[in-house]
Amino acid sequence: MRILFCCTGTKAQPWLDGFGDAFPGAEVEVWSAGAPPADYAVVWTPPQQFMDEQTQLKGIFNIGAGVDALMKLRLPPGVPVVRLDDAGMSVQMAEYVSHAVIRHFREFDGYEADVAQGKWSYRKPRMREDFPVGVMGLGVLGERVSRALAQFDFPVMGWSRSAKSIPGVHCFSGEAGFNKFLAASRILVCLLPLTPDTDNIMCQGTLARLQPGGYVINVARGSHLVDDDLIALIDSGHLAGATLDVFRTEPLPAAHPFWRHPRITVTPHTSARTLREESIAQIAGKIAALQDGEPVAGVVDPVRGY
């Protein structure tokens, strides 16, 4: 068996060692131009040249949940693209989103500002029923986030392309349910895959449908959000603010207004990081399954783009 590792910006040796331990005797190498054909590829934002050269692959494994970068490439025909199901990311995402929701709901940002000025202040407690949370995208990460928020007694709404059923979550689906979902939400969390249908989905026309005083949390992709529309709706008072972890250009350019806006919290794409050991174990298990002719979870539908 021959496995090629082609992951931009990733320290390769620990991954090579991990796959070497999982498959003793296998050839596990970092890809370089002109490399011999491999059986499997482990990738993150690989160049088009990699795909053009590696035409005999039996599987392409993406070391993350989002595959939008891969979907922009010309892929070898008939080769399954497999994304990570979880690999430790869902609990991180649940932590991050829960923290962002609670920080806004409890007005901890306001307390932080007061303390920085030496003020000892109190705010009137808010009612959870006045802050329904809408989660866009109910895949592995979205479902985990929804369940976590429900544990804090927030009303939780969920929206997905196809119908889902999650205990404690009021689920909407499809185009028919989208505007109803937005109108039922005051805090909006984006966990959608990035596809042509979801590009710019958080724009003036959708964000304006949120309940007054709405709040936006984007932990999916920067291209889901129209930056200027978000700022305009915050400045108009319709939205109370936002917590943003992903951006159209990363790192976020120093001149971008998100850095300086008093009602926008920025974090450096750290809501859910790939955990190496868990990812290696999951990918190795799926490679073994493919070798045995067994089905695997996480195969991407190229038509849907996720």
Side-chain angles (χ1 to χ4, degrees):
M1 182 193 304
R2 179 171 169 79
I3 302 172
L4 282 181
F5 185 82
C6 183
C7 297
T8 304
T10 303
K11 186 177 180 181
Q13 195 59 51
W15 290 84
L16 302 183
D17 293 342
F19 286 116
D21 291 341
F23 298 108
E27 297 179 62
V28 187
E29 300 176 2
V30 175
W31 174 76
S32 59
D39 299 295
Y40 299 98
V42 178
V43 304
W44 180 252
T45 62
Q48 181 62 55
Q49 184 180 1
F50 176 88
M51 295 300 172
D52 292 342
E53 292 183 355
Q54 293 297 318
T55 58
Q56 300 180 35
L57 294 170
K58 301 174 185 176
I60 300 169
F61 293 87
N62 192 59
I63 62 166
V67 295
D68 45 287
L70 274 181
M71 294 297 100
K72 296 176 182 177
L73 302 179
R74 296 185 307 275
L75 303 176
V79 179
V81 174
V82 187
R83 56 176 169 74
L84 292 178
D85 301 319
D86 184 341
M89 288 185 286
S90 67
V91 66
Q92 296 178 69
M93 193 65 80
E95 291 170 343
Y96 182 99
V97 173
S98 295
H99 175 271
V101 169
I102 292 168
R103 181 174 182 266
H104 172 63
F105 170 68
R106 293 288 302 272
E107 298 185 89
F108 287 143
D109 52 347
Y111 285 117
E112 290 167 7
D114 288 349
V115 168
Q117 298 179 42
K119 294 181 181 179
W120 186 272
S121 61
Y122 291 102
R123 285 169 167 76
K124 182 180 178 180
R126 293 166 154 179
M127 305 299 291
R128 281 172 175 77
E129 56 264 32
D130 294 334
F131 285 81
V133 184
V135 178
M136 287 198 301
L138 296 176
V140 173
L141 301 183
E143 179 173 347
R144 183 63 180 268
V145 166
S146 299
R147 290 179 182 272
L149 292 169
Q151 291 297 310
F152 291 103
D153 293 343
F154 288 101
V156 180
M157 316 295 157
W159 181 83
S160 55
R161 177 178 176 178
S162 56
K164 298 284 182 71
S165 178
I166 301 172
V169 179
H170 184 179
C171 295
F172 300 79
S173 63
E175 292 185 15
F178 188 53
N179 287 340
K180 294 178 181 178
F181 160 79
L182 292 172
S185 304
R186 182 167 178 178
I187 299 175
L188 181 67
V189 180
C190 183
L191 275 161
L192 291 168
L194 182 61
T195 69
D197 288 337
T198 65
D199 190 35
N200 294 325
I201 193 169
M202 289 188 291
C203 60
Q204 199 280 338
T206 55
L207 297 180
R209 294 180 181 274
L210 296 176
Q211 295 177 9
Y215 194 83
V216 174
I217 299 170
N218 191 15
V219 286
R221 287 290 186 266
S223 293
H224 284 124
L225 177 67
V226 179
D227 298 358
D228 290 343
D229 288 359
L230 173 71
I231 291 173
L233 285 166
I234 293 174
D235 290 346
S236 74
H238 182 70
L239 296 180
T243 293
L244 307 175
D245 187 54
V246 290
F247 309 93
R248 290 177 179 270
T249 301
E250 295 182 358
L252 184 65
H256 198 287
F258 283 167
W259 284 114
R260 298 176 298 280
H261 200 289
R263 295 185 182 178
I264 295 177
T265 298
V266 168
T267 56
H269 203 149
T270 192
S271 54
R273 304 292 295 273
T274 299
L275 302 181
R276 186 174 57 245
E277 288 77 10
E278 288 86 343
S279 299
I280 290 172
Q282 184 181 134
I283 293 171
K286 292 184 177 184
I287 289 176
L290 289 178
Q291 286 285 92
D292 292 338
E294 299 174 358
V296 297
V299 176
V300 175
D301 180 341
V303 175
R304 294 190 303 175
Y306 59 91

